[in-house]
Amino acid sequence: MLALAALLTALIAGCSTGGTATPVAQPERDSGVSVTQDPGAGATDISPTAPVSVTASGGTLQDVALTSESGRAVQGALSPDRRSYTVTEPLGYGATYTWSGTAIGASGDSTPVEGAFTTVDPDSVTSVTTYIADGQEVGIAAPIILKFDAPVADKAAVEKALTVTTTPQTVGSWAWLPDDGGSRVHWRPRDYWTPGTAVHVAGNLYGVDYGDGAYGESDFTLDFTVGRSQIVKADATSHRMQVIRDGATIMDIPVSYGEGNEDRNVTRSGVHVVTEKHEDFLMSNPPYYENVRERWAVRISNNGEFIHANPATTGVQGSANVTNGCINLSLSDAEEYFGTAMYGDPVEVTGTRIDLSAADGDIYDWAIDWSTWQSLSALPGGTDTASAGAAGSSATGTGVTTGTAVPAALPTR
């Protein structure tokens, strides 16, 4: 009777649900060995990255395996004393896994290792894309941008799974910007990157509950480096533009900025970021012009602002602002600047009546003051510092380069 009661108790406890489950002991047999499974037999909605193990008390394990529905044995490791077996790879979504094996008691009698559990079956999985490619060299103002293919409800859960590691140590923070066809989160340093900084980004997103029935599709890693320091100084009142490389002025040229007689043609003041460059580019701004071919075009904002050649304004470059908002250069100057520009370079525009803002496109990160930026983190106080790499410390945090995040090993199915 007591044995029956113990069996019923174990079965009831084993039917727990949720992302994690309380370890449950199999009923003790006459062998004197007790087997405990985590999660317990019959558990459902288990996270595919939750710890999974089986332990023998009063005995050792033999021929233990956890098998998927397809019959594939999940990778795992038996402890040196053979008393516990731990799964060492992530599981699949919406799958049932079954234990097999034997626990041998001190007397030589055996107890079977048996039982099954089921992982959570998401309503949807959400993928992420990075705007910096793995191995890329970027300018000193380049933010780390993660773009999700759907809205993220539980932003704090996702942010906790993101890590930024830099050498040398860099102060920075994540910030969630308004959704744009899906959620997006940016990490930027408090000040411009130090040239030569090595950056490693890791997202342990597989198995993370994003909320509203969505889960992370896969883990990812991203490694990139920060190149030389190049800053464009663009004072619209001077009608000139300077290119400063590692503290030295390498170009000081006449230009023309937005005419500014209407809001639409005011070159925005603030720190822009180079995102694309094209030797030839067709520009349109209906109803004012359409499909006008321009040369040596460097995009600095998604609102349509470029630094580019325009022979039609060469006569007033250096003396008057007449453009539709772009920064016009001569053909030779534009070609020379084009050759120096890199994704992530800052372009500091001053002297106009409208500031760069969220209304102007995708990267307006440097238009946000530091305390406000930190407040856009989903975690209290934001993330203050990236951890240092081997020699330094991680935050728990031709054209635009868009790369799919590099996934970690695929989970067991």
Side-chain angles (χ1 to χ4, degrees), residues 43-131:
T44 60
D45 291 336
I46 299 301
S47 168
T49 57
V52 176
S53 65
V54 61
T55 303
S57 177
T60 58
L61 297 170
Q62 182 174 303
D63 299 327
V64 173
L66 182 69
T67 307
S68 70
E69 295 169 273
S70 66
R72 179 185 181 276
V74 178
Q75 295 178 16
L78 186 64
S79 64
D81 63 6
R82 305 184 65 86
R83 294 183 181 276
S84 65
Y85 180 91
T86 303
V87 168
T88 57
E89 66 173 321
L91 304 179
Y93 285 124
T96 298
Y97 294 89
T98 303
W99 286 109
S100 62
T102 306
I104 308 297
S107 65
D109 294 331
S110 65
T111 295
V113 176
E114 55 192 5
F117 63 90
T118 303
T119 55
V120 65
D121 188 9
D123 294 335
S124 62
V125 291
T126 300
S127 64
V128 63
T129 299
T130 64
Y131 275 48

Side-chain angles (χ1 to χ4, degrees), residues 325-340:
C326 290
I327 303 175
N328 283 184
L329 285 63
S330 70
L331 272 170
S332 60
D333 287 341
E335 182 177 4
E336 182 180 353
Y337 167 65
F338 182 95
T340 73

